[in-house]
Amino acid sequence: MAASVTAADADATRLGIGDDATFGGVLQAAGLLFFAFAGYARIATLGEEVRDPARTIPRAIPLALGIALVVYAAVAVAVAVAVLLVLGPQGLPDATAPLSAAARAAGADWLAPVVRVGAAVAALGSLLALILGVSRTTLALACDRHLPHALAAVHPKFQVPHRAELVVGAVLAATTDVRGAIGFSSLGVLAYYAIANASAWTLAPDEGRPARIIPVVGLVGCLVLAFALPATSVIAGAAVLAAGAAAYAVRRAVIAGKA
């Protein structure tokens, strides 16, 4: 995006914070951006598939977070600043393909196809990571018979939940719109991180319980960011969570009735 920085339409004043910036807007942006950092938790879902998970996972999580932070910071400097210089904070929200629009505004039309290919590869990588985590969650639910037990199968050679991966991949390919799913996914991620923080509060000292303030701050932070998301994402996510809780309650009632 070097051409965008040196374009005639580039204006350094566009990097300033406008008068319409609000604290709520910053919180909403933080909630949406949280989605981009959510992948590190998928390391924990692979606990059954790594050697010495008690040693490997605590090292892998901060390492993954550190690498992601450095990469995102580099992208922000190299790409986000260039796009803002050309399109500005007013033009950027109206652009359906901001990187392509910035390239065209900079007079580098030849970059537009390259940007589209890069976006497709990035989206594919994100979906592959999503399949990795969701399929393992599906495996756990199937093992506990909250989902069809057939999905609990593990491949005899590769030792991966191949049926769960195929089902999750097919569902994502058929239903997922990456652009529309970010807000909904951010709410889901924040919700289960809030539950994880609440669960950490209940740990006993010999179970590795952290200082009490850590899960409290984590829980409050997750809830604040979740409710700062766009209303449509909050409503849709809350509806899905409520439906899941209702289905679980019905299942428990049926099992208790049979017992």
Side-chain angles (χ1 to χ4, degrees):
M1 298 302 292
S4 296
V5 177
T6 58
D9 291 336
D11 185 355
T13 61
R14 293 170 176 163
L15 295 178
I17 298 176
D19 295 335
D20 56 347
T22 63
F23 182 68
V26 172
L27 284 179
Q28 186 174 113
L32 292 171
L33 186 62
F34 198 91
F35 169 79
F37 286 90
Y40 77 88
R42 296 190 184 105
I43 297 171
T45 65
L46 300 175
E48 296 179 343
E49 301 175 45
V50 299
R51 297 176 182 175
D52 193 6
R55 177 176 178 270
T56 302
I57 292 177
R59 293 185 175 187
I61 288 178
L63 180 61
L65 273 174
I67 292 174
L69 183 60
V70 171
V71 171
Y72 289 161
V75 170
V77 173
V79 179
V81 171
V83 173
L84 278 172
L85 284 171
V86 177
L87 300 180
Q90 287 75 35
L92 184 57
D94 296 330
T96 56
L99 295 183
S100 295
R104 293 191 181 94
D109 292 353
W110 61 272
L111 271 178
V114 178
V115 168
R116 286 195 292 270
V117 171
V121 172
L124 179 61
S126 178
L127 289 175
L128 288 175
L130 192 61
I131 291 173
L132 180 69
V134 175
S135 62
R136 271 61 182 182
T137 303
T138 302
L139 169 67
L141 290 171
C143 288
D144 291 340
R145 298 188 180 278
H146 298 301
L147 290 176
H149 193 62
L151 297 177
V154 176
H155 196 280
K157 179 179 180 181
F158 300 108
Q159 298 299 304
V160 297
H162 55 296
R163 292 181 183 174
E165 286 184 341
L166 289 173
V167 170
V168 170
V171 171
L172 289 176
T175 63
T176 300
D177 180 346
V178 175
R179 297 169 300 177
I182 291 178
F184 174 79
S185 298
S186 295
L187 182 78
V189 169
L190 287 164
Y192 76 71
Y193 280 14
I195 294 171
N197 279 285
S199 300
W201 174 274
T202 67
L203 292 174
D206 59 344
E207 294 175 321
R209 186 182 70 194
R212 289 289 194 181
I213 189 63
I214 295 178
V216 171
V217 172
L219 175 61
V220 173
C222 287
L223 293 177
V224 169
L225 292 180
F227 285 104
L229 291 170
T232 53
S233 299
V234 175
I235 293 172
V240 171
L241 291 174
Y248 178 76
V250 170
R251 182 177 180 276
R252 286 290 299 269
V254 171
I255 292 176
K258 291 181 178 179

